[in-house]
Each structure stands twice: as C-alpha cells, then as structure tokens.
Amino acid sequence: MTLLITGGGGFVMSHLARSWLEAHGDAHVVVLDSSPLDRMAERFFAPVAARLDVIQADVLDSDALAKIADDHDITHIVHGATITSMQGEGGPAPDPRGLLAINIQGTANLLHWAAGLSHLARFIHVSSGSVYGGGPPEGPVPEEGYVGPDGFYALSKWASELVANQYGASFGVPVVSVRFSGVFGPMDRITAARTVRCEPNRIARLALAGETIKVNDMDGVGDWIHGGDVAQGLCRLLEADAPAHAVYNIAYGELATIADLIGYVADVVPGVRHEVVGEAEANVLGDARRREGRFGAYDIARMRDEFGWRPRRLRDAMQDYIAWLKEN
C-alpha cells in the first residue's frame, strides 16, 4: 500500500504522511514536493523516515510522475500541493498565472496521470473553505447549496474541484474533495507556498515569546482545527471503501473567539498578557462581524456521521500546539 502525497513537506500534508505511516505498519509514502525538506520537516519525519521517499518536483512535471509510476505501485493519492498567494510578483496587481497553473492545470495533470494507475483506490483533492466566500448568511456552512469564491486562490480551488469531479465522471478516477477551515498546529510555518499566520499561531507564538498579545477585537471568531485532526479525517477518507459524497468539510465545526484562544494558552503559559488596541496597533486581528461563509462555522456532519470522525477539543488542541512549540 503506497500513498502519494503532493505537497507532502508542507504543513497539513506532513501530518498526513506521518499519521498514515504510524497507523499502517506495512505502508509506504511518496512525497512529491517542489521544495526540499527543511530541517523542521526532517525532524518531524524522523520516526517514519525509513518508509518515506521524497521526490523534488512539481505537479506539472509529467516526467517525474511517470518515474513515480515506474518505481512505485501507487494505491492512494492526496493532492495537497498548492500555491496560496501571489507574492513576489510586485506591483499593485500581482500576476496570478503561476498560482492558476499549479492549482488548476497541476490538478488536471495529476488526475490525468492517476487515471492510468492500475491499483488506485482513492484520490483526495484538497480544496479549501475559501470557496464559500462571504456567505451564505446562516451557518454552519454545508458542502452543498452555496459557493462564492472571491479572489484567484478561491477561484482556483473551486475550478479544480470541478475538474476533479469531471475526471471522476469521465475517467473513473475515485476522487473526492475536502475543504478545510482554519488549520493550525505543529509544522505550521512560513514557506514559499504558504505565507499566512492564523490567529492561533500568532497567539501561541506571542505568548511563548513573552510579548503582549495586542488584539483589536476579543470577540473575533473562527472555526479553527488542529492539523493532526485534519490528518486523521483524511486517513478515514483514504480507508473508506466508497465515500457517499463528492466533497467533505474537515473543520472543528464550531466558532471560538480570540478570547477563548488566549484563555486556553494562559492555562499553560504563565504570565500571558493581552490588551485591546486599535487595528493599526494589533498583532492579532479579529472581527466579530465575520461569521458567515468561509469565516463562519463549517458543517461537519458528513465526516462525523459517515466515518465517526471528530476533532479533539479546541482547548486540548491549543495546548498540544503550545507543548510542540516549546520543544521545537
């Protein structure tokens, strides 16, 4: 049993690689990533490194994919490789073509290659909760009935979902898509492909650094989930014989406030300080008004009812992250 993970050296996908290998003693993982493993990834993978192969290439490289097919009998694929921003282009209107090429054409390239694999049991396409945009007006947001992508990244994820669905219908690729809410936890770091820091990340790091957490809105909310819990949800989907749906939300399923997050951290980090300041002075930004669409809670009934999956308590997730940061 061999799992190919594109973008496998990144944040969430590294959790998946390690979780899959720890759960399946006879499994092998092939990581396809455009960047070499950094020191943090090497340390994270050390316990399972003997069953992990890393190939440096991107999903547009058909020769690299052909070699993977020659060298490995791929039975499962999770396509997590993506570009989340358009940094580095300069000017007021960054060029989106590199992002669109990887996120859409790269997905199509991988799907077309996967259609020729003899023993493929599951292809998971990692989409994003960003496809929900700013609505609908009432949550939690279900997988069906509404999408409203705004911006090139969100549009690329929605388009690649449609491409994946069509490859399933036209070529029989056993594909499902997943949409994540705000993910945080161990291995969350700035990389070439990921340049964001979510609120749990900022709060945890500021607290451990002994800096004052300056918040513009303590009632700002989000649906935040630990990367390890996302990985467990992906494992359930990989192991399923026949998922009943084409798309699944993987999220915490409830809103929490900035005040909640600070409280969870203060339980395990002595002397945490915070103050409410203006937006221009804040090092943690929140908005209590943003409770809809991708900013609101996500409906996780499909994952819960079909696979018995549930994320850990947010308090426990934040404190696990704190413990990891202290060690790393």
Side-chain angles (χ1 to χ4, degrees), residues 19 40 48-49 140 152 158 172 185 190 210 216 233 235 252 271 275 310 323 328:
S19 294
M40 185 175 290
V48 295
F152 283 108
W158 175 234
I190 297 297
N216 67 310
C235 287
Y252 189 65
E275 61 182 77
R310 290 178 183 272
N328 291 271

Side-chain angles (χ1 to χ4, degrees), residues 117-149:
L117 299 176
S118 300
H119 302 118
L120 185 64
R122 178 78 61 250
F123 186 118
I124 297 178
H125 163 248
V126 177
S127 182
S128 167
S130 66
V131 303
Y132 294 126
E138 295 182 5
V141 181
E143 292 91 344
E144 304 296 336
Y146 180 87
V147 290

Side-chain angles (χ1 to χ4, degrees), residues 238-311:
L238 286 170
E239 293 162 350
D241 290 333
H245 303 283
V247 60
Y248 292 84
N249 285 335
I250 299 182
Y252 189 65
E254 299 176 15
L255 292 178
T257 66
I258 299 293
D260 291 330
L261 298 180
I262 293 174
Y264 300 153
V265 171
D267 286 343
V268 291
V269 180
V272 172
R273 303 187 308 275
H274 73 274
E275 61 182 77
V276 178
V277 299
E279 186 172 318
E281 303 171 68
N283 51 26
V284 173
L285 292 172
D287 190 338
R289 299 167 298 177
R290 297 199 310 182
R291 294 172 173 265
E292 302 169 353
R294 66 189 175 100
F295 301 113
Y298 290 43
D299 188 338
I300 57 172
R302 287 183 176 180
M303 287 296 299
R304 182 191 64 227
D305 297 345
E306 190 174 342
F307 306 113
W309 170 87
R310 290 178 183 272

Side-chain angles (χ1 to χ4, degrees), residues 167-187:
Y167 263 90
S170 299
F171 293 93
V173 178
V175 61
V176 298
S177 292
V178 292
R179 299 169 183 163
F180 304 155
S181 62
V183 189
F184 72 93
M187 295 297 290

Side-chain angles (χ1 to χ4, degrees), residues 26-104:
D26 59 344
H28 195 84
V29 165
V30 178
V31 164
L32 177 69
D33 204 299
S34 60
S35 300
L37 295 185
D38 58 21
R39 290 182 180 179
M40 185 175 290
E42 289 176 347
R43 289 197 302 270
F44 190 74
F45 287 140
V48 295
R51 291 183 288 130
L52 183 76
D53 284 348
V54 180
I55 297 169
Q56 188 177 350
D58 68 38
V59 290
L60 292 170
D61 189 339
S62 295
D63 291 339
L65 293 176
K67 189 173 189 314
I68 290 172
D70 288 341
D71 295 343
H72 304 276
D73 183 12
I74 301 297
T75 57
H76 299 75
I77 297 172
V78 176
H79 175 38
T82 189
I83 295 178
T84 61
S85 68
M86 297 180 289
Q87 288 197 346
E89 302 292 347
D95 186 343
R97 288 175 294 177
L99 179 151
L100 296 173
I102 292 295
N103 294 0
I104 300 175

